[in-house]
Amino acid sequence: MSIKLLGRKRVSPQESRAAALGAARELLKTDGAAAVTLQSVAKRIGRTHANLLHHFGSAAGLQRALAEDIAQTVAASIEGAIEKRRLGQATERDVIDAMFDAFRREGAGELIGWIALTRQREALEPVIQTIDRIVRLMKAAGDERPVDRMTLGLTLLAIGDSLVGQEVARACALPRETVRQVAVTQIEALAGESLRD
């Protein structure tokens, strides 16, 4: 993804906000959550710190907006996989893979960890709402299994994997993807049945 340098060019508030969120995403992926500051994002898009303060109010506001943006992307990916499973076009393993891939690709684990460690837990609300929506979606589709417990375990594993999965797997002398099989085993135990392939 290339960052759009805005400079002195006059743009709409929506374009400015979108450019800032794009830059924040890139900083998150390349340099980590601590690098997502108003100053660093402003520099990336050729705007001032004051300009971003106007749009987000504070660094916490930027992080909340970033969490909302990432939560929407993660939700779309997971909900798409759930819908494909419902239509018989995907397996439950595909849903698990979609969750792990979405969290890993978007840097969600690091952002969630940073927000929690800096005690800005209100910024986690978009992620919480996304998880709640996924549970309700699965229940509404008639899934009578304990989808709340399944989602809890799967989400925590996916967040942990996106945060330190590579390092922990290396310490255990296992391939990183082993955690996905652990997730399958966990869900099978909670569901009381084998997952369909």
Side-chain angles (χ1 to χ4, degrees), residues 7 18 33 37 54-55 71 96 101 157 165 177:
T37 64
H54 171 75
H55 288 294
I96 291 170
D101 292 343
L157 282 172
E177 302 309 312

Side-chain angles (χ1 to χ4, degrees), residues 170-185:
R170 186 177 70 237
C172 295
L174 292 168
R176 183 174 183 179
E177 302 309 312
T178 303
V179 72
R180 295 182 189 218
Q181 187 53 47
V182 170
V184 168
T185 303

Side-chain angles (χ1 to χ4, degrees), residues 140-161:
D143 199 327
E144 295 181 13
R145 299 173 301 171
V147 293
D148 48 0
R149 291 174 184 266
M150 293 162 58
T151 304
L152 172 69
L154 183 55
T155 302
L156 290 175
L157 282 172
I159 290 170
D161 175 64

Side-chain angles (χ1 to χ4, degrees), residues 97-113:
D97 287 339
M99 181 172 275
F100 274 86
D101 292 343
F103 273 94
R104 188 183 295 176
R105 183 179 57 247
E106 300 302 325
E110 183 157 354
L111 181 63
I112 289 167

